[in-house]
Amino acid sequence: EYALVQWFDANSPRDAVLIEASGRRWAPGPNGPTVVDAGSDYSDSGRISGRTGRATVIGWFFHEIQWRGDNDSNREEFQRRQALVDSAYISGDPDTVLNVMRQFGADYLVVGRVEQVRYAGLMPDFSQFLDVAFESGAYRIYRLPRYYEVGTS
């Protein structure tokens, strides 16, 4: 994943926001995706953000609590962010992914080793509706499509 970090550091603006795994691990279940491991701290979650200084939607849950305070409002917000990030990876719905990215101003979505493990068998083919910004083997950084207005004469 070093290549992902290097590319992101060299090719994204300093104020870029990215989506990467929330830290929870999911598996297919009889009624849809199910959380099988809720542990998110002291893991590789937030690794691209942490190594490049770019913002991510949610880092380590309890680090957020430590820095921002342990109260109901913060817990609700961090849980909301985890749920939305997870939904981007497991919903299978392009509109959900795009809405989550736009809601947080994220131009990039990471699919690296951590995402492949934490959302195994659940991720859609992001290349069907996001641009591939960078690829290294099976790892990718996707970007929201860019649309430009073209003048006509």
Side-chain angles (χ1 to χ4, degrees):
E1 287 194 331
Y2 182 69
L4 295 178
V5 172
Q6 291 298 315
W7 182 89
F8 207 86
D9 196 41
N11 294 283
S12 67
R14 295 282 176 215
D15 62 350
V17 177
L18 67 134
I19 292 179
E20 54 189 321
S22 75
R24 299 189 290 188
R25 190 166 54 90
W26 292 76
N31 299 316
T34 304
V35 174
V36 294
D37 180 3
S40 60
D41 293 338
Y42 305 103
S43 70
D44 285 337
S45 300
R47 73 226 178 265
I48 308 296
S49 171
R51 292 175 179 136
T52 63
R54 305 313 192 274
T56 192
V57 174
I58 184 73
W60 292 354
F61 185 89
F62 284 103
H63 263 197
E64 299 289 351
I65 294 291
Q66 287 173 329
W67 284 102
R68 300 182 196 318
D70 188 1
N71 58 56
D72 290 342
S73 176
N74 282 347
R75 283 182 177 267
E76 287 173 19
E77 176 61 15
F78 304 147
Q79 289 168 349
R80 183 183 78 85
R81 286 173 176 254
Q82 278 184 319
L84 287 169
V85 165
D86 289 338
S87 75
Y89 286 102
I90 66 172
S91 72
D93 175 37
D95 287 335
T96 297
V97 177
L98 296 170
N99 288 335
V100 169
M101 292 180 77
R102 290 181 182 128
Q103 179 176 348
F104 291 106
D107 285 324
Y108 301 94
L109 182 137
V110 175
V111 175
R113 177 186 51 81
V114 173
E115 290 75 21
Q116 290 173 351
V117 168
R118 296 203 174 264
Y119 305 109
L122 298 169
M123 290 186 287
D125 180 359
F126 292 110
S127 68
Q128 295 297 308
F129 54 93
L130 296 174
D131 293 338
V132 177
F134 178 74
E135 183 173 13
S136 177
Y139 304 151
R140 291 185 178 86
I141 296 174
Y142 294 96
R143 180 178 25 226
L144 276 176
R146 295 180 180 170
Y147 300 101
Y148 300 96
E149 197 169 310
V150 178
T152 60
S153 46

